[in-house]
Amino acid sequence: MFDRYVAIGDSFTEGVGDELPDGRVRGWADFVALGFAIAAADRAETERPDPRQDASATAVRYANLAIRGKKLTPILDEQLDAALALGPDLVSLNGGGNDIMRPRVSITEVADRLVAAADRLVDGGAHVLLLSGGNPSAHVPMGGLVEQRGDRLAAAVRAQLPRDGITFVDNWADRVLRDGRYWSADKLHLNVFGHVRVAGNVLEAFDVPVPAEWRIAEVAAAPAGPPSRRNAAYYREHVLPWIGRRLTGRSSGDNRSAKLPTLEPVTIVEPTGL
């Protein structure tokens, strides 16, 4: 369906929590691009009238401009125009997760800006995948406040949909995704299984087959994980650095650039870590 896919957003879209052995992060958007590429290759194989025809003509290209730690304003200011400049036929947009973690935030304003940005992308010629992140509230400090704000943000976005040219995938409402099996050590970012589940939700929304080797159904059918426990090491390694950055006005994304700033062909490989 799409062969020029650009992802914009923060750590959720960058892929934090799904770290590869070489230090790179992968994440759900990478898996979505891979799913598109697999489907395109399968379609090309069945539709080519001439066996000598080069199947690479249907290759999916993918860029990921997301940078961890970004609030919604810098996402829109720094990534939206850059995404449109690549001439995509699909742009995924997620943001606001870092905004709702701040002491003060206007949920209505965040929702309105997300939907307005999606409309602008549609006007620019792209279909928009607007999606929410998973709900970490069962695992993080002050989870009740996080859940309350996340519920309000998801509801405020849903209230303005459906709209032409926008596909909304509500991962916040995915109850399975709340289980501890899907979350990384910092309990705020998804691990590989969480990112793969989000990718499966997206591919299903576009009626694209989800590769069986991703084991999404198998992981979901397994027993639930144990309740999250936050000990002194957890606060020392994950919470205190976060507080330190807030107090000093720093971000985990400072001095970082996009991991994939231009559209690149997606190589079909079997994912590791599953």
Side-chain angles (χ1 to χ4, degrees), residues 13-125:
T13 300
E14 184 186 347
V16 173
D18 181 17
E19 280 79 20
L20 298 173
D22 62 4
R24 293 180 299 119
V25 294
R26 182 174 45 189
W28 67 265
D30 293 48
F31 279 103
V32 167
L34 177 59
F36 287 157
I38 293 171
D42 290 344
R43 184 171 63 248
E45 190 66 28
T46 59
E47 292 181 356
R48 275 183 305 175
D50 183 348
R52 296 167 297 179
Q53 183 180 341
D54 185 3
S56 65
T58 64
V60 171
R61 293 197 286 168
Y62 162 59
N64 190 317
L65 310 184
I67 296 178
R68 66 193 68 183
K70 294 293 186 182
K71 295 172 68 177
L72 184 58
T73 292
I75 289 173
L76 300 183
D77 288 350
E78 300 166 11
Q79 299 176 26
L80 194 147
D81 285 339
L84 285 174
L86 295 174
D89 54 12
L90 175 68
V91 176
S92 63
L93 169 62
N94 168 268
N98 289 306
D99 297 74
I100 69 172
M101 301 287 285
R102 299 306 194 269
R104 292 184 176 86
V105 61
S106 169
I107 300 296
T108 299
E109 180 180 350
V110 171
D112 289 349
R113 295 191 67 198
L114 277 170
V115 176
D119 284 340
R120 182 178 169 193
L121 290 165
V122 171
D123 291 341

Side-chain angles (χ1 to χ4, degrees), residues 173-221:
D174 184 345
R175 300 290 299 183
V176 173
L177 194 57
R178 298 186 61 166
D179 188 81
R181 292 169 297 163
Y182 295 101
W183 296 88
S184 65
D186 68 7
K187 306 184 190 300
L188 183 63
H189 297 99
L190 297 169
N191 62 20
V192 60
F193 299 110
H195 279 286
V196 167
R197 183 168 180 86
V198 169
N201 291 343
V202 170
L203 292 177
E204 288 179 355
F206 289 122
D207 200 25
V208 174
V210 179
E213 58 268 28
W214 293 2
R215 302 175 52 225
I216 293 177
E218 178 184 341
V219 174

Side-chain angles (χ1 to χ4, degrees), residues 188-268:
L188 183 63
H189 297 99
L190 297 169
N191 62 20
V192 60
F193 299 110
H195 279 286
V196 167
R197 183 168 180 86
V198 169
N201 291 343
V202 170
L203 292 177
E204 288 179 355
F206 289 122
D207 200 25
V208 174
V210 179
E213 58 268 28
W214 293 2
R215 302 175 52 225
I216 293 177
E218 178 184 341
V219 174
S228 292
R229 291 181 173 85
R230 299 186 291 272
N231 56 22
Y234 169 77
Y235 282 91
R236 183 173 60 252
E237 294 173 18
H238 302 294
V239 178
L240 292 179
W242 184 88
I243 293 173
R245 290 194 296 271
R246 300 289 79 74
L247 293 175
T248 57
R250 294 178 292 119
S251 166
S252 58
D254 288 348
N255 302 315
R256 285 185 173 272
S257 55
K259 70 177 186 181
L260 195 59
T262 59
L263 286 165
E264 301 289 344
V266 178
T267 302
I268 298 178

